[in-house]
Structure formats: C-alpha cells, structure tokens
Amino acid sequence: MPNVPNAKTVTERDSLSLVSRRLDSGVCMANMSTWLDSVCYSVSGHWHHLFLASLIYRKYGMSNFYCAAPWRGLHINPRGDVKTCCAGDPNMLGNLNSQSIEQILHGPVMQEIRQSIQRGEPHAYCYNCVQAERYGRSERDWHNNVSPEFNCTTADNLEHVPTLIDVRWNTTCNLSCNYCAEACSSKWAALKGIPTKSGARPYYEQVCDYLEQHRDNIREVALVGGEPLLLPENDRLLDVIPEDCIVTLITNVAVDFSTNRIVKKLLARDRVGWSLSFDNTGERFEYVRHGADWPQLLRNLETLRPLMQSGQHWGGIHAVYNIYNATRLIELTEFARSQGLTIHWQSLYQPECLDPQRLGDQTKQLALQEIDSLLALDICLESERLFFQAVKSNIQSARDDLRTEFAAHIQDIETQYHTDKAGKFIQLWPELAESIL
C-alpha cells in the first residue's frame, strides 16, 4: 500500500493524479475501492464509488455521460431491491418489501440520479458502467439502444416509463453448478442447509400491475433466475407484456421443454433470444452443472432449432471460461458449430480458484496450448477469437497460486455436496489432475 496524503488535504488535482497513476499501473479495479479507503473519507456511504466513477470518467474522456435507464429501465433482484438497470448499485434506491414501486422510482435518490445524468455526469449509482467502459461497452448501451429516441434533457425528473424490464423474482433453480452458490441457487442453499424464501414475493402482483399499466411502452423483457423457466411468476409476466416485444432469457437448458408452461408461451412468441448457459459437453457438462442431464439438453436444442433456423428466435451458448473447460475448448466449440450456435464467452468472477491463471505454470501452459490449437482450426467466430486473444495476453501475468484452494474445492464437491461424482474429476480431466491436485 503506497503512502498517500490524508484525504482531507488532498486537492482535486492531487486526487486525480493519485488515481490516474494507480489506474495506469494496471491495478485490479476490484481492489481500487479498498485502496481508496486510504485516500478519502466517507460521504453518505457511497463516496468511494462516486469518487472513483468521476475520476475514471474524466481521465478517460467519457464526455456527455448519457443513459436512458433511470427513466426507461426497471430491474428487480430476488431480495426486492429496485434498480433501473442490472449494473446499478442495489443498495441505493429502495426495496419493495418496505416501499411501493412508485415511491422508489419517484423518490429523492432516483431524482438525484436523473439530475446527474442530465448534467452529463455519472452518479455514484453508475459506478459499474463507468468501470466497464474503460475497456469497452457497458450495460447503458443496451438501454440506450432500446430507447434511441429518448432525450433526457427534456425529461421530467419524476418520469418513469419502463421500456426495458429485468425482473428476477427469486433464486429457484434445479441445479447446483460447481461455480455457483446459495445466493443464486436454491439447490445450493438446500445442500448447505440454508433456509431460502421460496414462492411468490408479496410484491409480485404490484410489479405485474405496474408493468400492465405501461404495457404499450415495454419493448424488451429479460428473464433471469435462478432458473427463469421454473419461476411461475414469469407465467403471468408473459401475459402482461406486449406480444411483439423482445423477450430474452438466460436458461440452464436443463428443464424438460416438452412439459414446461413458460417454454410453451415462449415458443408461441416470435421475438425470443435464448442464452443457453453451459460450458462443457457430455459427462463433463453433468459434472459441472450438477443435476443436469446431457440427453435432455440435446432434446431441448432440437425443440429450439426450427425456430432459430427460421429467424423467429435466436440465441447461443452463454459460457464462462474456467478450469473445467480450459482444456476442452475445441470440444465445446465443435459442438456449438454442429448445432449452429455461437458462443458468448465471459470471464470468471467467483470462485477464483477455478481461474486457470491461478493454478500453476503447468496448468497455464495447458490452457495456452488449447487456445492455440483452437485458433489454429479456424472454427471460431470473430468475437470468440478476440476473447481468447485477450485471455492469452493476460494469462501469463503473475497471480496468487490457488492450487490448494482448488484441491479443497474438489474435495468439498465430491465428498460433501455431489457425492455421486466422487473420483470423477480425475477421470474426466486426467490432464489436469497431476498439475493441480
């Protein structure tokens, strides 16, 4: 930790200089907020996000910070926290267990955020998008594209007309995937003996009524879980939204499509985008996505194929790059091409012990060899190729070795939680067993 002046004596210029040097040094953004604890003092509990957001914003020349989300977006997480986008701070606006949706969306904090955007400045609430835009696009692009005609400079600060909806009713899920946790999966909560609140939330009807009032304005709805195909709340939601609006969903594809009511309604619509959340094939798929059945996934893909080929529906595999697929990229990519699917790759956030970069030099080399072999086959789409080129450029950087933590992770999975998979990791990934375990 570098020595820095006391926060109360740091001038604006000094502050920008300190953070600029820290950013230029390549510091992990996840550690930046912690570091700023030694630089600034608290203002309303959100000082560090506001401070960092505004400095990054200015340093990287993000002029005229514009976003339609505060006026046109609605996001509700399983706790009942209301936001206007997925990326917004979940602790700032309010919660439906203690306030009405109108009170939150017309409240003083929401008005303050809108006023900040009208000035072309990011609010503390916007921290995640400001951070993301150092390297590319953020979620605000999604909101602005859905409402291209919206002009915040002429909008009222009490106005809220939802055009993009993302409501996550609860964490009900049929799987306990190896890199998931109880906060996102009721299955994991049950395995760990943690009570979980199931069933419709008390604010369910209120939210649906609010959306029905604004039905004619809704253009896109995102269904996320848990597993959205298992949430009965989505049954009514699909009834209150317009027939011609876009519906997108992230699904584990492990539900029987032939008997599911929500799938039946989705198949009857014309504009549906499917993000198919899996990142391995066959037995390795069943090991990582515990509780799933590979033949069932194949049957579900057969159901979707005619609609995707006709252009009425679209979609692809939504995969997380991690140690479980780092040496099997060709296998997954060839499967995707055989199904006519793209792969949207994303980086791993947690648990860090599944990051190939953190599992020793031998594992890094195996991961790099697989990437090189994949790229040499020329079967990747451009977005996939760019993702793995970025992985190659970063994988050799020095990081803490987490092989001990990974061994403990496998031990817990196979002896405590998924005991039917005991000894399977060594059988399914023999090339990794020697270098990691």
Side-chain angles (χ1 to χ4, degrees):
M1 183 77 68
N3 293 321
V4 296
N6 181 277
K8 295 182 180 180
T9 66
V10 174
T11 66
E12 183 176 334
R13 177 183 297 177
D14 291 337
S15 299
L16 181 57
S17 176
L18 283 166
V19 177
S20 296
R21 292 200 302 272
R22 190 75 170 169
L23 291 171
D24 289 340
S25 71
V27 66
C28 171
M29 290 299 293
N31 296 331
M32 181 62 84
S33 290
T34 302
W35 175 74
L36 283 171
D37 284 336
S38 67
V39 182
C40 268
Y41 58 95
S42 178
V43 178
S44 302
H46 298 289
W47 65 267
H48 58 292
H49 279 185
L50 179 57
F51 183 72
L52 180 56
S54 62
L55 290 182
I56 297 174
Y57 168 78
R58 290 161 54 203
K59 175 174 172 58
Y60 290 93
M62 300 175 190
S63 60
N64 192 25
F65 190 92
Y66 168 77
C67 184
W71 291 267
R72 294 292 183 264
L74 178 62
H75 173 98
I76 301 172
N77 71 18
R79 297 186 310 185
D81 299 316
V82 174
K83 304 190 287 181
T84 56
C85 65
C86 178
D89 187 327
N91 302 308
M92 291 188 70
L93 302 186
N95 186 283
L96 288 171
N97 290 296
S98 58
Q99 296 172 272
S100 73
I101 193 168
E102 288 86 357
Q103 286 174 327
I104 296 170
L105 293 171
H106 299 151
V109 178
M110 197 67 253
Q111 292 181 56
E112 179 185 298
I113 292 168
R114 291 172 182 140
Q115 290 166 1
S116 180
I117 298 298
Q118 286 177 324
R119 294 192 300 269
E121 300 172 356
H123 188 272
Y125 176 78
C126 311
Y127 166 77
N128 287 328
C129 279
V130 172
Q131 174 179 304
E133 287 171 27
R134 287 188 61 216
Y135 304 103
R137 303 176 67 185
S138 71
E139 183 163 323
R140 72 186 179 110
D141 292 323
W142 184 22
H143 285 266
N144 292 341
N145 289 337
V146 170
S147 300
E149 78 294 341
F150 177 72
N151 184 352
C152 73
T153 62
T154 59
D156 190 288
N157 287 329
L158 290 174
E159 176 185 336
H160 186 262
V161 180
T163 59
L164 177 53
I165 314 300
D166 178 354
V167 180
R168 308 182 184 195
W169 301 109
N170 58 58
T171 60
T172 298
C173 190
N174 53 331
L175 304 185
S176 52
C177 301
N178 286 13
Y179 46 68
C180 195
E182 62 274 10
C184 300
S185 165
S186 60
K187 192 75 171 182
W188 263 119
L191 284 172
K192 294 185 176 182
I194 300 171
T196 182
K197 189 176 182 180
S198 60
R201 300 297 195 254
Y203 49 79
Y204 162 60
E205 295 290 347
Q206 178 198 159
V207 172
C208 285
D209 289 345
Y210 182 78
L211 296 178
E212 196 160 20
Q213 293 171 23
H214 295 281
R215 173 187 171 91
D216 292 342
N217 300 293
I218 297 172
R219 300 175 182 177
E220 186 166 341
V221 175
L223 305 182
V224 190
E227 171 49 53
L229 299 179
L230 294 178
L231 305 185
E233 297 90 337
N234 286 332
D235 199 351
R236 185 189 169 194
L237 179 62
L238 289 171
D239 290 337
V240 302
I241 62 176
E243 289 290 335
D244 61 347
C245 84
I246 294 172
V247 177
T248 62
L249 71 154
I250 301 176
T251 173
N252 58 36
V253 213
V255 175
D256 186 347
F257 280 15
S258 67
T259 60
N260 186 273
R261 285 173 54 87
I262 297 170
V263 169
K264 183 178 180 180
K265 289 188 175 183
L266 290 170
L267 295 179
R269 302 179 71 95
D270 284 341
R271 306 175 73 194
V272 180
W274 298 80
S275 291
L276 310 170
S277 183
F278 66 96
D279 13 57
N280 291 90
T281 63
E283 283 191 85
R284 279 176 281 274
F285 162 80
E286 294 178 348
Y287 182 91
V288 176
R289 301 281 177 152
H290 190 262
D293 177 64
W294 181 248
Q296 180 65 66
L297 179 143
L298 295 177
R299 290 192 294 271
N300 291 341
L301 292 182
E302 284 295 323
T303 299
L304 294 179
R305 184 173 292 110
L307 287 167
M308 289 193 176
Q309 290 176 340
S310 71
Q312 293 173 278
H313 290 199
W314 62 91
I317 298 171
H318 194 86
V320 176
Y321 179 69
N322 64 89
I323 190 57
Y324 288 121
N325 54 42
T327 58
R328 304 289 170 162
L329 300 176
I330 294 173
E331 183 178 282
L332 181 64
T333 305
E334 288 181 337
F335 172 77
R337 297 298 94 91
S338 73
Q339 299 291 313
L341 297 171
T342 61
I343 305 178
H344 173 73
W345 286 99
Q346 67 180 56
S347 300
L348 176 78
Y349 290 103
Q350 294 289 340
E352 292 185 353
C353 68
L354 300 187
D355 183 348
Q357 188 179 1
R358 312 290 292 273
L359 297 174
D361 290 340
Q362 187 176 346
T363 301
K364 287 183 186 180
Q365 290 307 312
L366 288 171
L368 285 170
Q369 289 170 16
E370 181 71 5
I371 292 173
D372 287 338
S373 297
L374 172 66
L375 297 179
L377 291 176
D378 197 29
I379 58 175
C380 286
L381 302 178
E382 181 66 9
S383 60
E384 298 163 6
R385 184 182 63 80
L386 290 173
F387 177 87
F388 286 113
Q389 286 179 339
V391 171
K392 283 187 64 176
S393 67
N394 291 322
I395 202 168
Q396 292 288 21
S397 59
R399 303 287 300 278
D400 293 341
D401 191 314
L402 299 181
R403 278 177 285 184
T404 300
E405 288 81 353
F406 178 76
H409 163 80
I410 295 297
Q411 176 77 4
D412 288 344
I413 288 290
E414 296 191 357
T415 65
Q416 187 173 356
Y417 299 119
H418 303 160
T419 55
D420 58 318
K421 302 299 182 184
K424 284 289 188 179
F425 179 80
I426 292 175
Q427 295 176 26
L428 296 172
W429 288 273
E431 72 279 9
L432 293 174
E434 182 179 348
S435 65
I436 303 178
L437 299 182

